[in-house]
Amino acid sequence: MWAQDRHQRIRNLLHARTRVTTEEIARELSVSRETVRRDLLELEAAGELMRVHGGAMLPAAAAEEPFTARLTRNRPQKQEIARAAAALFRPGQSCFIDAGTTTALFAEQLAQVPDVTVVTNSIDVAMALRGSAAGGAHLLGGELAREVPATLGARTLAEIARFQLDVAVLSPVGLHPQQGAMDFEIAEAEVAAAMIRHAHSVMMLADGSKLGIGSRAQICPCGRVDTLVTDRSAEPETVKALLRAGVRDVAGVGPRAAAENFIRAAGD
C-alpha cells in the first residue's frame, strides 16, 4: 500500500473515531507498528493529527486518557520499568514521586528498599508505601484532583518547597527531544516542575510509547533529565535523539549493554 493511501485511511479512522491506537491502525492497514509510527510523524508534521500516548487524535480533540484507562495500558512494560527504577535506589535515599500509573507501580517495588524517605502527591503511592520497609511516605496536602488520585494546587507547591531531596521520580505523558518532558494537565506539570526544583537529580519513568511524544505543558527540558528508565519497546533512534537533546543516561530492563549502546550511538 502506498504511503498516500495509508495516510488517507488513517485520516478516515481518525474522523470516524476521533482517537485511534497504533495497534488499531496497524491491524486495519495490515502494516507494522514501525510503518504506522512513520506515517503518524508525517501526518503530525502536516498538522493533521496529534500523536498522543499509544496512538493519535485529531488536534482539536487531543486529551489525555482517563486515569483508570491508563492503569491497564502497557502494564507489563510499566512493571518492568518500575522494577528497574527501584533497583537503582539504596537504603537511606530520599525522593519525590509524582502521581501516575507508572510511579504507582514503582512505589510498590520501592517498598522493598529499607529506610527511604518519600514525599508524594499521589494517594496510590502513599498507600503502596504505608507500613513498608521503606518507612512510609509523606503525603503532600492540597486540593484533591478530579481525575487523578492526587493532590494539586498552591498548597501542594508550597509544601514541596519545604524539602530538598535526592531524586525526583516522575512519569510524564511524553518525553520529546525538542519539547522535553510534558504533561497534559498544567497543574500536574507544575507539581512535577516544583519537585525537580527541590531535588538534586531527576529520574523519568517512560515506556517506549511515551518517547518522542509531546503534550501541552512542559515539565522540564531534556537537559534536566539525569536518568531515563524505559523498556525494550523504546526505539533506538528516538532514544538517540533524546540523548542528543540532553538526557544524561538511559537505564531499564535487559542487559546494561543495551543502554550503553544507546549512549554510544548518541555520539555517532
Side-chain angles (χ1 to χ4, degrees), residues 79-95 106 109-114 116 166-170 201-206 225-231 248-256 259-260 263:
Q79 289 175 321
E80 290 180 333
I81 289 168
R83 287 191 290 270
L88 299 175
F89 276 78
R90 298 292 179 266
Q93 286 190 291
S94 61
C95 66
F106 163 72
Q109 299 297 319
L110 189 66
Q112 308 305 314
V113 182
V116 176
D166 294 324
V167 189
V169 182
L170 311 172
S201 65
V202 178
M203 179 183 293
M204 292 285 172
L205 313 184
V225 180
D226 296 286
T227 305
L228 164 63
V229 185
T230 188
D231 69 297
R248 290 177 176 79
D249 195 11
V250 179
V253 299
R256 172 62 190 171
E260 292 173 348
I263 296 167

Side-chain angles (χ1 to χ4, degrees), residues 14 167 178 208 233 247 268:
L14 279 169
V167 189
Q178 283 74 51
S233 70
V247 173
D268 290 347

Side-chain angles (χ1 to χ4, degrees), residues 206-226:
D207 65 71
S209 68
K210 291 184 176 183
L211 304 185
I213 299 297
S215 193
R216 67 181 184 182
Q218 187 188 63
I219 297 170
C220 69
C222 287
R224 190 64 181 88
V225 180
D226 296 286

Side-chain angles (χ1 to χ4, degrees), residues 1-14 17 20-33 35-37 39-40 43:
M1 184 184 300
W2 295 102
Q4 61 185 14
D5 295 325
R6 293 196 307 270
H7 291 182
Q8 186 56 51
R9 290 187 63 178
I10 292 171
R11 293 186 193 99
N12 294 341
L13 286 170
L14 279 169
R17 306 180 190 177
V20 288
T21 67
T22 302
E23 291 81 1
E24 288 170 340
I25 297 171
R27 186 170 57 251
E28 291 274 353
L29 275 59
S30 299
V31 295
S32 68
R33 289 167 57 94
T35 297
V36 172
R37 289 195 183 99
D39 288 340
L40 294 182
L43 289 167

